[in-house]
Amino acid sequence: MDTTQPRMRWWGWGEDGHDGPVKPGAKKMLTKVCGWPKGVHRPPADLENIDLPESTLPAGARTRFEAVLGDEYIRDDHATRVSHAAGRSVPDLIRLRTGKLPFAPDAVLYPASDTEVDELLRICSDERIAVVPFGGGTSVVGGIEAFRPDFHSCVCISLARLGEVIDIDEESLTATVQAGVFGPALEEKLQAEGFTLGHFPQSFEFSTVGGWVATRSAGQQSTGYGRIDANVLGLRASTPSGPIELRSTPASAAGPNPRQVLVGSEGTLGIITQATLSITRLPEATLPDAWFFPDFHSGATALREMEQNGLRPDIARLSDINETAFGLAQLGSDLQRKGLQAYLKARGVTTPCLMVLRFDGLKAEARSRRAEGRTIAKRHKGVTIGGAPETQWEKHRFSTPYLRDQLLTEGVVVDTMETAAPWSSIEDLHAEIGSRIEATMAARGTPAFVLCHVSHLYSSGCSLYYTVFARQEIGTELAQWKALKTAASEAIVAGGGTITHHHGTGADHAPWLPEETGELWLKMLRAAKAEVDPAGVMNPGKLMNGPRAL
């Protein structure tokens, strides 16, 4: 079976051949803070040695699936089950690399149409078989693990064969797309016609439209082009009780927006099979810019003024002191770094925070926005060396997850987490999350190096995205991760941030969801689920259904 779609290697991120070494400067920095483990080399286990639970798919259910799909599109071989058993969260990677998967789908089903998805869900509801929808497998919050609480069996429904761009409406500036379309395939099709969705999450190369919509994804250019939830105009979803079809309209006053109940539902209500999305014409100009600020406060204030003044940079990213230092160490040579440090020091910037910007649009309009942005940056003591840092960042922006795999092999654990909060809370929250993580890890004897950046702007606030490094606690990695995740999440909730800005809730964030939404809203969601999924088979253990057990 050839679905002609990109597939990640089963044990980590992306494809072979893209792993790069940790640069000497970055390794030196991690050694100083975390204590680099000496002589550690922990490659992934061999695929054939991965320990999976036995398949428990009933023969009668398989016969019914075959009547819909044929035998070719029902796969239960070892490799297929492993490659659909987990996402790419830290617990997922640890389990995959050590060869111990406590859960896996009994089979993977490959429907080729909306109606086949409808029928498969009806069968699963009849037979009480848990269902996990699968797009690209890039979830970092435990969103696609094959939990089966109260169910004897579990299947994964892959959207790999639903990979068509159905229609591009040039007058309305919309594209109707099947859920299994991967990011690169969609952009290639759109750009050939002179358009773009402008949605580029870090998972862009290996994630799908359905996954973006189901998790409320926010791409790296969402400040200018909008988050995916703002760009969904219509959609179709299959549920165990039947299909839901919501027409594409520019706006409506017909009650609460039902699209926004399904957007972000993470497969717990049904499977999104297609979506109509707003698109834009390709920009005439894309103008890069970059600045170094003397501190995080100055850079954040400049970003706030740019956004609230209506400049809306299409890419806007501000790294704090730690992330700036690590990024320069990983991307540049010692000579280049020392030369830059001397240049900045001469201009009063000794602890630089790097901001990269890009302004898209008609040439004159983009230039005007960039010029006004430069005026604001200078007013807040920004120092520029031109647009090269932004261009360099774009060149490498999809490659960072490969570094996580390399570090795991060398005994260093890496995790990411994100939030968003009002501008008035951002600086206190930035400090509190970092200090809470550092204190928790220090108490365990594995000090953490905490990096942070702002990457999405709103008039009322912005996002904070964290990357955390620590020496692995060999043998107790899952407990170490849980302590790290709990410390960060409790700090986020206590500081008034959202528990997730764009990664989704999955199983990992579910314990903190009641504090953000309140129990009554979760009861409303569960009531909706009971209507469309009376047997409760859809992606159990995720979102409103409670956390997993480690």
Side-chain angles (χ1 to χ4, degrees), residues 9 11-13 19-20 22 30 36-37 39-44 87-98 400-415 468-474 477-478 480-481:
R9 50 193 179 186
W11 55 268
W13 190 263
D19 298 290
V22 183
L30 291 177
W36 192 276
V40 174
H41 181 66
R42 305 182 72 205
R88 293 301 179 264
S89 69
V90 169
D92 290 333
L93 293 175
I94 289 170
R95 293 185 177 113
L96 286 167
R97 294 171 72 93
T98 58
T400 304
Y402 288 99
L403 181 63
R404 182 172 62 161
D405 287 336
Q406 182 62 33
L407 287 166
L408 282 169
T409 297
E410 298 188 42
V412 176
V413 67
V414 188
D415 200 9
V468 182
F469 301 89
R471 188 176 70 254
Q472 283 184 53
E473 297 175 14
I474 306 300
E477 297 96 335
L478 291 178
Q480 180 188 26
W481 170 83

Side-chain angles (χ1 to χ4, degrees), residues 313-472:
D314 296 273
I315 290 175
R317 185 181 180 101
L318 172 69
S319 296
D320 68 4
I321 294 170
N322 284 354
E323 184 169 284
T324 299
F326 185 81
L328 292 175
Q330 180 63 15
L331 293 176
S333 68
D334 287 342
L335 184 62
Q336 290 172 322
R337 191 166 64 254
K338 289 177 181 178
L340 176 61
Q341 288 171 342
Y343 173 84
L344 295 174
K345 185 176 181 180
R347 288 155 179 80
V349 179
T350 57
T351 53
C353 292
L354 173 63
M355 177 192 294
V356 296
L357 304 167
R358 201 183 81 189
F359 296 89
D360 295 3
L362 297 174
K363 288 181 181 179
E365 184 266 348
R367 285 172 179 163
S368 175
R369 287 160 57 220
R370 184 174 66 173
E372 189 174 346
R374 286 175 170 175
T375 299
I376 293 171
K378 289 176 183 177
R379 188 164 63 244
H380 293 284
K381 302 178 182 180
V383 174
T384 186
I385 58 171
E390 193 281 333
T391 303
Q392 182 77 349
W393 172 79
E394 273 199 64
K395 182 179 178 182
H396 297 280
R397 63 173 166 165
F398 300 134
S399 63
T400 304
Y402 288 99
L403 181 63
R404 182 172 62 161
D405 287 336
Q406 182 62 33
L407 287 166
L408 282 169
T409 297
E410 298 188 42
V412 176
V413 67
V414 188
D415 200 9
T416 60
M417 54 212 68
E418 29 72 78
T419 184
W423 287 111
S424 56
S425 305
I426 283 299
E427 291 182 55
D428 288 343
L429 188 59
H430 169 249
E432 179 61 22
I433 294 171
S435 62
R436 188 82 67 93
I437 292 171
E438 289 169 352
T440 298
M441 292 294 99
R444 298 181 65 87
T446 51
F449 188 38
V450 184
L451 321 181
C452 180
H453 66 257
V454 172
S455 56
H456 308 269
L457 309 183
Y458 309 90
S459 61
S460 63
C462 66
S463 67
L464 292 173
Y465 190 103
Y466 287 84
T467 303
V468 182
F469 301 89
R471 188 176 70 254
Q472 283 184 53

